[in-house]
Amino acid sequence: MGTVEFVALLLAGIGPLLALAHFLKLPATVLLFVAGLATGFLPGPAPIQVDPDLAIGLFLPPVIYAAAVRITPHLLRHLFLPGVLVGVAVSLLTVLGVAALSRYVLLPGLTWTAALLLGVVAALFDTRLFQEAKGAPHVPRALTDALKAREMASRVVALTTLALVTAAMREGAAPKVAEAALDVAWALAGGAAAGFIIGRAVLWLRDRAGPAPVEIAVSLAAPYLGALAARGLGLSLAVTIIAAALAVSAARVDRETGEARTSAEARISAMAFWEEVSLLVSSLLFFLAGLAVPEALAELGGCHTWQAGAAAAGILAMVIALGWLGSLVSTRLPPLAAALAGEDAAGRAAAAGVMAWASTRSVLGLVVVLSVPPAWPDGTAFTEGGLLLVVVALVVLGSVGLQGLTLRRVTRAAALQKGGDTEHEETRARTLAAEARESAGAGDDVADAAGLAAERRALLDLRERDEIGDEGLRTLLREGDLRKRAAEGNAEPGAPPPRP
């Protein structure tokens, strides 16, 4: 089978595999990985090889952007201590701790380059399975917000470390401490500035784009412009893309007037678009990782295979332990401490356990290992690449399988007292938004323009005071968008067909 036919078959098969996983009540990522693994064991060479630069340049930007555009800067502001600050500390400890454990205990003789790459992978996590398992309603909203802030922080730390490691690989020598510190400072500060500029530029262009499909197509430029800027200027990829996403999410609605910048159709469609992009890219990466494993296994002996499995188990155990310790510190910091005020020491320990268990290893880890150059600058093969792929695949799949399948039971067993406060907050916010609409003179017209603007102002005010979360804000804004779109009657959806 040729490459073109294989790619077409792969794209055609992702949807049915996702549906089969839902039917079997299995994590879709596990089934996709197994499908890729089975394909890799078929006779003959692998029908497709992942280019390292392609993994970083094509797959990474939309996954980071799709996660970051769902949040607002308020989340990072309100959860700075238990989310951002603790997230940075835990990520640094994870990178260094896993690297040292791998090099000296689990895989003796491993080079520092390979050990640090394992540390980078171990530090990356996401909370998608936590949301899919419907675990969030059983815990305080501040806990889920802290996890989201930590997720963003982990990506900045891990991907900045990855940039330093890959730069050292290309140059054949480790950078000096002072030089590395200056590079990191430039990468972070410059990335934040460049991302903000890119986000505002995309917003300016979207304001003038017209039909909803064109607006969404313009938004697709944000992550890739961020990636190009980061690559060309030596900036942090994660910071640049996250800053661009936050610039876009913060300006969806004018704070003073309550007017939305784009059409209701564009906002509704964009939400579904980025969720779909993230789902498809993640699915593709799990399949490609499974496809690459048989070749990696062929480069290992039986002893190495068992050693890789033991190393993966040790890394996952250390990651969960460090995550629990960091989460235990988070429970003592505001506003998470206030949300857990009614819990005793055992309750706080249980809350920390939920946070650690909800942090499943991310698909971005697969991107990291697939992006490793196959050779050193002098042309010598990077012989540890196969071992890294096997260990990383086992870590990610073990995390998804073990934690993902038990998340619902873990969150319910924790029995935290303020579980379900998100629903209460949304109910209250919905009431206050309706009162604001009535005060604006909208009456019974739930799609009145002035009434909707008043609703949005009220909701933004609640978010600024941290009386509602980002997901609740998105949900209620979307309800207003749906009402407005339904009231437009026979308005033609989308753009007219292009003229030749």
Side-chain angles (χ1 to χ4, degrees):
M1 182 184 298
T3 301
V4 175
E5 292 82 358
F6 178 78
V7 171
L9 182 61
L10 173 58
L11 294 176
I14 287 178
L17 285 173
L18 291 173
L20 180 60
H22 180 73
F23 176 75
L24 297 176
K25 300 186 184 305
L26 291 173
T29 48
V30 174
L31 188 60
L32 287 160
F33 181 87
V34 171
L37 187 66
T39 304
F41 277 115
L42 294 176
I48 189 172
Q49 298 286 340
V50 180
D51 181 82
D53 289 332
L54 186 67
I56 289 290
L58 182 63
F59 297 137
L60 203 55
V63 174
I64 296 176
Y65 185 86
V69 81
R70 294 177 62 91
I71 68 174
T72 67
H74 298 302
L75 182 137
L76 302 182
R77 177 169 62 88
H78 292 308
L79 278 300
F80 180 77
L81 290 178
V84 177
L85 195 60
V86 172
V88 169
V90 170
S91 297
L92 285 172
L93 286 174
T94 300
V95 170
L96 298 176
V98 168
L101 181 69
S102 301
R103 176 174 168 81
Y104 295 117
V105 179
L106 300 176
L107 299 167
L110 195 68
T111 64
W112 272 115
T113 298
L116 286 170
L117 288 173
L118 285 177
V120 167
V121 171
L124 290 165
F125 74 92
D126 62 46
T127 56
R128 169 178 288 184
L129 288 178
F130 185 48
Q131 302 298 333
E132 291 177 354
K134 301 189 184 302
H138 300 285
V139 300
R141 194 254 304 167
L143 188 149
T144 61
D145 284 355
L147 276 177
K148 195 64 181 178
R150 280 173 58 176
E151 179 184 329
M152 296 295 107
S154 75
R155 294 181 176 187
V156 171
V157 172
L159 296 180
T160 300
T161 305
L162 173 65
L164 292 173
V165 173
T166 52
M169 285 186 67
R170 292 189 179 96
E171 296 172 7
K176 297 179 179 179
V177 175
E179 180 183 346
L182 288 175
D183 288 343
V184 169
W186 162 248
L188 298 180
F196 178 79
I197 293 171
I198 289 170
R200 299 298 296 187
V202 167
L203 282 170
W204 181 87
L205 189 56
R206 285 183 64 178
D207 289 344
R208 294 155 177 80
V214 179
E215 291 184 40
I216 296 172
V218 170
S219 73
L220 187 61
Y224 290 108
L225 284 175
L228 289 173
R231 188 183 183 94
L233 300 175
L235 307 175
S236 167
L237 177 70
V239 170
T240 306
I241 295 176
I242 290 173
L246 292 177
V248 171
S249 66
R252 285 196 183 102
V253 177
D254 187 292
R255 178 66 186 86
E256 299 301 323
T257 65
E259 295 295 331
R261 296 188 66 121
T262 57
S263 66
E265 182 185 350
R267 294 190 297 276
I268 295 168
S269 301
M271 185 185 302
F273 171 79
W274 283 111
E275 289 176 354
E276 189 67 20
V277 167
S278 179
L279 175 64
L280 290 177
V281 172
S282 300
S283 301
L284 183 63
L285 285 169
F286 274 102
F287 185 93
L288 292 176
L291 181 66
V293 164
E295 183 178 348
L297 287 173
E299 300 173 2
L300 304 176
C303 177
H304 284 140
T305 303
W306 286 104
Q307 192 176 14
I315 290 172
L316 189 55
M318 183 177 194
V319 165
I320 294 174
L322 288 174
W324 181 80
L325 288 174
S327 300
L328 195 60
V329 173
S330 294
T331 63
R332 297 291 181 179
L333 299 173
L336 190 52
L340 297 172
E343 302 290 346
D344 55 13
R348 291 179 182 275
V354 170
M355 294 180 72
W357 205 251
S359 304
T360 53
R361 296 311 96 187
S362 173
V363 68
L364 297 182
L366 298 176
V367 179
V368 168
V369 74
L370 291 173
S371 69
V372 175
W376 294 94
D378 61 2
T380 305
F382 182 60
T383 56
E384 294 167 316
L387 177 61
L388 286 181
L389 177 59
V390 173
V391 173
V392 168
L394 291 174
V395 168
V396 176
L397 266 293
S399 176
V400 171
L402 176 64
Q403 295 167 245
L405 291 174
T406 56
L407 269 174
R408 190 192 299 269
R409 289 193 291 272
V410 168
T411 53
R412 286 179 175 171
L416 300 179
Q417 294 183 18
K418 286 191 177 181
D421 61 345
T422 300
E423 296 177 357
H424 172 73
E425 289 176 351
E426 290 184 13
T427 300
R428 177 174 175 270
R430 195 173 281 110
T431 300
L432 293 175
E435 292 175 357
R437 184 178 67 246
E438 293 176 4
S439 298
D444 295 332
D445 187 357
V446 295
D448 177 75
L452 286 173
E455 275 190 34
R456 298 188 193 105
R457 288 196 302 271
L459 293 173
L460 290 178
D461 185 58
L462 290 172
R463 185 64 191 106
E464 288 180 0
R465 298 199 305 266
D466 200 28
E467 296 180 18
I468 188 175
D470 281 343
E471 289 300 319
L473 177 65
R474 282 166 51 84
T475 298
L476 296 178
L477 288 177
R478 185 173 184 272
E479 289 178 3
D481 290 336
L482 289 171
R483 295 199 306 270
K484 186 176 187 303
R485 185 66 186 89
E488 291 173 356
N490 60 355
E492 294 183 4
R499 296 180 181 179

